Amino acid sequence: MGSPHVIAIPYPAQGHVIPLMELALCLANQGIRVTFVNTEFDHERIIKSLSKEQNVSDMMQLVSIPDGSETWNDRKDAGKLILSIIQVMPGKMESLIEKINQSENDQITCLIADESMGWALEIAKKMGIRAAAFWPVAASVLALKLSIPKLIDDGIIDTTGAVLKNQMVQLSPTMPAMKPEHFVWACIGDLALQRIVFDVMSGTNRIVKLADWVICNTSDELEAATFTLFPQMLPIGPLLASNRLGKSVGSFWPEDSDCLAWLGKQPVQSVIYVAFGSFTIIDPTQFRELALGLELTNMPFLWVVRQDLTAETDNAYPKGFKDQIQGRGRVANWVPQQQ
């Protein structure tokens, strides 16, 4: 057996890839070899967006496996993407590990999988590899997910995730109360997608028990009550490039770094920042209303507008919008968000 070799796989969304990539780079900086596995679709985007200054560590290799969707499929359809991932990626991941393990001195010693890709933990168990489940966002969301059985027993939701009681819910006396209609699976897409997301979340609750560790991109200081409720969850964050004195890696699109200089010229805490992540799609009417709303604030703003944020983005702006915001508002395709 050679030196430690970690294989890491994120869920294929921007907010999942970047924090796990950050953890992988931290491990690589400690002399641990890392194989980072993206979907073929995301891998191509990341490679294209990497600048010369963002070359990854020599200790980290970026590889890819298919996600089950054809190149022309709409990956913004989260329901279809989730189902194709479950059908195709487990077999591809197992084959990749078997191929790597053919080397006597470079075998996989640990797997780190996004908790939403829980099936990878089953592969690790099957192959005798120690594993960590990684949660990339607030630990309180994972606490909610792990509380699904109790929420069903208490009659708050049914076995499909549908809300039965519209009352405020507290997971513990020291955690904030929340509305069931705001549960993560209950406010995402249509009913069909909500059911798919809930089924996946319920299923990974069982699978996550196979992990040797459950690690979260947060800190005890930020979410002490959550870690008291679920002491098996380990805080290892926040995972920020600035903490290792480096640049964030893993962006799906080239970043507009010029916006940082523009921000630096604005008064402190004066700028409205608007961004909807890598998946959100809004219709042209919503887009125009948002643009007009930003214009009417009469405040400086930085608005991240992906090329696919709405249909025919270039023609979606209200007439004269860019002239009206000249010097006050800035629109960028993608930005270095952590910076």
Side-chain angles (χ1 to χ4, degrees):
M1 181 68 70
S3 59
H5 186 172
V6 169
I7 189 165
I9 181 166
Y11 180 81
Q14 185 70 96
H16 293 247
V17 171
I18 286 181
L20 186 54
M21 183 81 80
E22 193 58 45
L23 173 57
L25 287 168
C26 290
L27 294 174
N29 287 346
Q30 296 296 319
I32 297 173
R33 181 166 173 75
V34 180
T35 296
F36 198 93
V37 187
N38 280 303
T39 63
E40 290 177 343
F41 183 75
D42 286 348
H43 177 80
E44 183 177 346
R45 292 198 287 181
I46 290 169
I47 295 300
K48 284 183 178 179
S49 70
L50 283 174
S51 66
K52 292 181 180 179
E53 294 79 26
Q54 289 179 309
N55 290 329
V56 298
S57 167
D58 291 339
M59 295 297 293
M60 188 161 78
Q61 180 184 17
L62 303 181
V63 302
S64 64
I65 57 177
D67 61 11
S69 295
E70 300 294 343
T71 54
W72 58 82
N73 288 155
D74 180 12
R75 285 172 172 79
K76 297 295 188 296
D77 188 329
K80 288 183 179 179
L81 180 60
I82 290 170
L83 294 177
S84 67
I85 284 172
I86 293 172
Q87 291 170 358
V88 173
M89 291 188 73
K92 299 296 183 181
M93 185 70 170
E94 187 170 346
S95 296
L96 175 63
I97 295 174
E98 288 175 345
K99 182 179 179 181
I100 293 172
N101 284 347
Q102 289 175 2
S103 169
E104 292 185 6
N105 299 316
D106 197 27
Q107 296 185 357
I108 301 297
T109 53
C110 181
L111 178 144
I112 304 177
D114 191 297
E115 203 271 354
S116 298
M117 305 286 267
W119 48 263
L121 301 174
E122 292 182 306
I123 292 174
K125 183 71 173 179
K126 174 183 175 182
M127 303 183 77
I129 301 170
R130 302 193 78 183
F134 175 71
W135 189 252
V137 295
S140 56
V141 181
L142 180 56
L144 171 64
K145 181 177 166 309
L146 295 174
S147 299
I148 285 175
K150 187 176 188 303
L151 293 171
I152 294 174
D153 291 342
D154 292 345
I156 305 298
I157 59 174
D158 65 18
T159 54
T160 69
V163 176
L164 300 178
K165 294 181 180 178
N166 192 16
Q167 64 185 47
M168 299 297 285
V169 174
Q170 255 184 312
L171 300 183
S172 79
T174 54
M175 293 181 68
M178 66 188 99
K179 295 180 179 180
E181 65 197 67
H182 293 161
F183 290 167
V184 62
W185 61 85
C187 55
I188 198 169
D190 57 19
L191 183 60
L193 178 57
Q194 291 173 19
R195 295 283 174 83
I196 292 172
V197 171
F198 181 78
D199 286 346
V200 171
M201 296 181 81
S202 300
T204 53
N205 275 349
R206 171 185 57 82
I207 298 172
V208 77
K209 295 176 182 178
L210 301 175
D212 296 282
W213 308 275
V214 179
I215 52 180
C216 304
N217 181 23
T218 185
S219 68
D220 187 62
E221 291 82 0
L222 287 171
E223 302 187 82
T226 303
F227 293 111
T228 299
L229 183 62
F230 289 100
Q232 72 272 33
M233 293 160 48
L234 304 175
I236 63 165
L239 292 163
L240 301 171
S242 56
N243 290 340
R244 60 176 173 82
L245 303 179
K247 292 186 176 181
S248 180
V249 178
S251 176
F252 289 170
W253 298 278
E255 297 172 337
D256 175 10
S257 298
D258 292 343
C259 69
L260 297 176
W262 177 84
L263 275 173
K265 296 176 182 177
Q266 311 306 314
V268 174
Q269 297 183 352
S270 68
V271 177
I272 300 172
Y273 176 58
V274 186
F276 293 99
S278 61
F279 265 85
T280 303
I281 299 292
I282 59 178
D283 66 44
T285 299
Q286 291 174 315
F287 186 90
R288 285 190 293 272
E289 291 289 339
L290 178 56
L292 290 170
L294 288 171
E295 179 184 333
L296 290 170
T297 64
N298 290 319
M299 293 178 63
F301 65 85
L302 174 60
W303 184 13
V304 180
V305 181
R306 297 187 333 263
Q307 193 61 40
D308 60 349
L309 179 62
T310 192
E312 299 183 7
T313 301
D314 291 338
N315 298 319
Y317 294 98
K319 187 176 180 179
F321 172 76
K322 292 188 177 180
D323 292 333
Q324 292 292 333
I325 66 164
Q326 192 72 33
R328 175 172 62 86
R330 187 178 180 99
V331 177
N333 291 331
W334 200 245
V335 299
Q337 184 164 278
Q338 288 188 21
Q339 291 173 273

